[in-house]
Amino acid sequence: MQRKRVAPAPHGHPFRRSLGAKPPRARPARSEDDNDIKLFVLSFTAFFICFYTFIA
C-alpha cells in the first residue's frame, strides 16, 4: 500500500509568515576581557570542586 503524496504545508505560523524575512542577526564583537572572565570563572569553579571533594 503506497501513501498519497500531499503538498507540503507552508512552514511556520501564519503571523510569522506575514512578518516577512528575518533580519540578519549581528554577532556581538568579542573582546579579550570576555575570554579572561570565562577563564577565571572556569578556573575558580574547578578549584572549588576539587577543594570541596577533598573536604567532603
Side-chain angles (χ1 to χ4, degrees), residues 2-53:
Q2 292 184 352
R3 290 183 166 183
K4 292 182 181 178
R5 289 195 175 238
V6 180
H11 297 289
H13 192 272
F15 179 71
R16 285 193 177 193
R17 281 185 275 141
S18 69
L19 294 176
K22 294 180 184 178
R25 284 187 169 178
R27 294 182 77 182
R30 295 197 176 192
S31 65
E32 288 295 320
D33 296 335
D34 186 38
N35 291 334
D36 291 341
I37 291 171
K38 287 180 183 178
L39 180 62
F40 171 75
V41 170
L42 180 67
S43 301
F44 182 79
T45 305
F47 173 77
F48 180 77
I49 290 171
C50 291
F51 188 74
Y52 183 78
T53 55

